[in-house]
Structure formats: structure tokens, C-alpha cells
Amino acid sequence: MTEPLPPFPVPEGHDDLLDDLKKLNALPEVVPAPGEPPRLRADAARNRTRLLEVAARLADEGGAARLTMEAVANAAQVGKGTVFRRFGDRTGLLIALLDHHERELQAAFLTGPPPLGPDAPPVERLRAFGAAVIRHDHAHRDLYLAAHADASRRHTSPAGLLRLSHLCMLLRRAEAPGDVELLAQTLLGYLDVSLVDHLVARRGMTLERLEDGWTHLVGRLAGKG
Amino acid sequence: MTEPLPPFPVPEGHDDLLDDLKKLNALPEVVPAPGEPPRLRADAARNRTRLLEVAARLADEGGAARLTMEAVANAAQVGKGTVFRRFGDRTGLLIALLDHHERELQAAFLTGPPPLGPDAPPVERLRAFGAAVIRHDHAHRDLYLAAHADASRRHTSPAGLLRLSHLCMLLRRAEAPGDVELLAQTLLGYLDVSLVDHLVARRGMTLERLEDGWTHLVGRLAGKG
DNA sequence: AGGGCAACCGGACCCTGGTCCGGATAGCGG
DNA sequence: CCGCTATCCGGACCAGGGTCCGGTTGCCCT
């Protein structure tokens, strides 16, 4: 369960990914922030992990719906204020909860085996990335949907920025023509949880169809010249 | 100010657009719904328009933020329950408010002059559509952003469905290869208010750049075979 | 060891979205 | 013109998110 929040390990050999992150002003959150690993006080740290444990339990008992700030506070034997101070707001709590899953995904595409990880040609990695994200997010859609309620956060959360810069990097390596950042945003939009969920749940599409759509999209957008 | 809600006039010569709407299960909301123009009682109708007027005033005085249900109710000299019964929830009120602007846009791309309206080749209409939507939504982003808080509504509102099916139609006429509905969703995602706003406000992009990006995207996705 | 201070804690408090139901009223048929 | 009912109205009520501040406590420095 996601402890005090060590910034994730951007592996060696990904300098251009780092460049992208830099350009996206994501540094303070994503990279070791040289001087300030805002150490929690002992009791605070203890409470933090207890809160996350409790929250995780509540979440998979009653779904994200039952995950109310007060419920978490009570179940963790803590005042409501404490929850807010620690996580800022409900969205913050949700993001913290998802952080764990998110890291699994990140590990897969940053350092995992091909075709998702390095050692595969960029276009292939792009395809794999889409499929992985679709399945991953869909598996945890409850929480992701709840977290996405906050529209602005979607574009500024560390996890989102990492996905974005990863796409930028792959597109650049694939020598995709055009405005790379906008292309990446377009692709990211296709993977949006709420869109995928809507297409699956309300329009009856299968994940396979969505993956095929992704493949086609990548083929069209990442093709050279 | 948007009266009792006459369903919008899908003009002659757009049969395929209607087909798309049908396929999207959008009929009940979008098309004249033969038997049920749910007539409001006189007092109800009166209240409805008063509420919309008041809401519009509040909205451009204090921004969407000041648009609280109770405030609207009070300003319109009406109980809070009335506002909720009429519009369902806050999002409903916002959508109703936006309906007016939305119709202007719809008129432009359904029956207006080229390149937006008919009598222009599909790809050109696609380009124009993007630019128009970007500017239109951005001009009213306050309300659109507030309305978009409800993620699920974005994909099911009549206005959104119309945009979607319009894109489907144009893509089909342009003989774009691939899964037309998914392509349309992708394009729609690019135009998402919260994305555009984020790119402009937080990443410092200009609307021109976004429009260029759109043009490029259309070129890539709508090109034949 | 112990003193001082920053950080933390708790829970009362406020605000707003949303629900509910007893009472009023428009509109219709006689 | 009158009475009946479906519809509407109002505002009391609830829940959940977010804020605040007086009191407490870990942590560091001497």
C-alpha cells in the first residue's frame, strides 16, 4: 500500500522522456525534487497509511460510492480534518489510492518486457500502450471514474503527465509528423476512462473493438511523413 | 431565452445524419418524439422561463460559480424544489442555459453557409467544424466547464450526440477509412472544452495552434483509404 | 533532559446539491 | 359555474465536501 510517496523511478536511458516531463512543467511532482521530500511526522505517516488501508477496504466493499471522507475518517478512528489535510480533497484521496495500480502500469511500460517496455519499436510500443491502458483503467474504472470527476486534475496529475510524456516520446521516436504534444493529447483522449466506459457500457462496444480502433488510430497518426 | 424546448430542426437533406442519430439511440431526445411534447402547465412554463432568465443573469454577473441552485430559486422568487423538478439537477440547468448558444452553433453547421454548412466538401466542413467548435466552446467555457463536471452527461446530452453524429456523417462522406464512430469520438475528444481550456490556460497554447492541430488531425484521419 | 515551535489533530461548523411530502392550483369535463 | 385530479409548489430536511481554530504532540536543538 503506497507508503509515504517516493517519487517514481524514471529509469536510465529515458532522457527524452525526462525532457518531455520538464517541458510539461511536471518536475516538482514527478522527479525527486532535490531538497524537499516533505517528510511526514511519525504520527502523520502512521495515519496516512491507516487511512489508505481503510479507504482501500471501503472501496472494494461498497465501491467508490461508499468512499465518503467521513466514513474513511471514522473507520480509521481519525477526525475528518485529518483526512482532508493529508489528501487535500476527495480527488486527492482517490488519486493516492490509485497510485498503487498506476505504478504497476508505469513499471510495465517504463521497464517491462516488450512490446510494452523498451526494446520494441516505438509504433509497436504505442499499440501495446493503448491496449494496456484500456484494460488497466477499465479494470479499476470505479475509482478512475470517481477520480476523473475533477476534470482539471486529469490533465495535471503526475500519472497523467507521465502517460502524456511517454506518448510524446514514442511519437517522436516514431517520427510522427505534426504537433507531437497535440497528437499525444488526442491519443490520450481516446483512452479516457469515461469515454471507454461509456462506449462499453452504454454503446455496447467490446474492448477488442476499442483496441482495434486504437491500432488504426496509431497507424494513422504515427506513420512517418 | 430557450422556451419550452422544441426539439431542434434537423433540416431536409440530412437523412444520413438522422440515421446516425438513430443508431446512437438518441431519438427520444432529439427528434420530435411523435406523441409527447410534454406540455408544461401554465405556471410551470412561466417559472421555467423566469428561472432561465435569472440564471443567465447570475451567470454573467458572477460566473458559473455564483450559479447555485438556491440562489437561482431565491432570485426567481421560487422554492428550491421547483428548480430541481424543472431541470433535474444543476447540470440540467447548465445544459438548458447552454442550449441557446448550442443552437446557434447547430444552425451554423446544419444550415449555415459554407464552409461550415452544406455545399462544401466534407473535409472542408470538418476543418471548419473544429475551428467553430473550439472558438464557440471557448467563448462560453465558464458554463461549458461547469456542465462538463458531469462526465457521463457529456456523452449523452442531445447537443453532444448531434455533434457526434454530424462528425460521423462528414467522415462517412469523406470516405474516411476505419471505424467511423470511434474516429468521430476521437475528434470530439480533441475538441473537449476542458482539454482546450487546459492547453490554453495552463500550457499557454494559442487557439490558432489548436486549430492547426485540428486541421492536421482531420487530414490524417479523414484521408481516403 | 527539556523547552520551543512547527506540524498535527479533532470535530464543530458552513455551504450546497438533492430529496420529500403536505398543501395549493391549473385545467378539464360536466 | 363547479368540482376533481394530475400537476405543481415550497421549504424543511438530509448528506457529504470542505474550512477553521483551539488544543495537543512529535521533533529538533541546545
Side-chain angles (χ1 to χ4, degrees), chain A residues 23-80:
Chain A
K23 268 190 280 182
L24 292 167
N25 299 321
L27 268 287
E29 286 300 325
V30 169
V31 162
E36 8 244 319
R39 293 235 355 184
L40 273 314
R41 229 168 69 174
D43 49 352
R46 220 177 321 133
N47 278 340
R48 187 189 143 88
T49 69
R50 245 217 339 276
L51 284 170
L52 282 175
E53 283 166 5
V54 163
R57 215 191 54 219
L58 287 184
D60 68 37
E61 281 174 9
R66 191 167 296 179
L67 208 68
T68 155
M69 296 302 258
E70 203 158 12
V72 173
N74 291 342
Q77 313 234 33
V78 139
K80 195 166 34 151

Side-chain angles (χ1 to χ4, degrees), chain B residues 104-186:
Chain B
E104 287 179 8
L105 179 66
Q106 288 166 9
F109 69 71
L110 287 177
T111 63
L116 203 51
D119 303 327
V123 175
E124 225 174 286
R125 289 184 76 186
L126 276 172
R127 289 197 226 288
F129 182 80
V133 170
I134 288 177
R135 302 202 105 87
H136 175 264
D137 286 14
H138 193 253
H140 307 291
R141 78 205 113 153
D142 237 35
L143 289 179
Y144 275 106
L145 282 172
H148 269 223
D150 195 329
S152 76
R153 215 69 139 273
R154 179 176 41 220
H155 303 297
T156 51
S157 75
L161 290 173
L162 185 64
R163 290 182 185 193
L164 182 64
S165 42
H166 187 64
L167 283 177
C168 284
M169 180 215 77
L170 291 177
L171 286 170
R172 198 167 291 123
R173 287 196 186 170
E175 299 175 42
D179 191 321
V180 171
E181 185 174 346
L182 288 182
L183 287 177
Q185 291 283 17
T186 305

Side-chain angles (χ1 to χ4, degrees), chain B residues 10-86:
Chain B
V10 176
E12 307 296 328
H14 282 255
D15 297 340
D16 44 358
L17 194 157
L18 269 183
D19 285 351
D20 281 322
L21 278 173
K22 228 168 275 175
K23 269 189 279 183
L24 293 167
N25 300 321
L27 267 287
E29 286 299 328
V30 170
V31 163
E36 8 245 321
R39 292 236 357 178
L40 276 308
R41 226 168 71 173
D43 49 351
R46 221 177 322 134
N47 277 341
R48 187 189 143 89
T49 68
R50 246 217 338 274
L51 284 170
L52 283 176
E53 283 167 5
V54 163
R57 214 191 55 219
L58 286 185
D60 67 38
E61 280 174 8
R66 190 167 297 178
L67 209 68
T68 156
M69 296 304 256
E70 203 158 12
V72 173
N74 290 343
Q77 313 235 30
V78 140
K80 203 186 358 174
T82 304
V83 188
F84 278 94
R85 192 169 342 91
R86 193 61 27 190

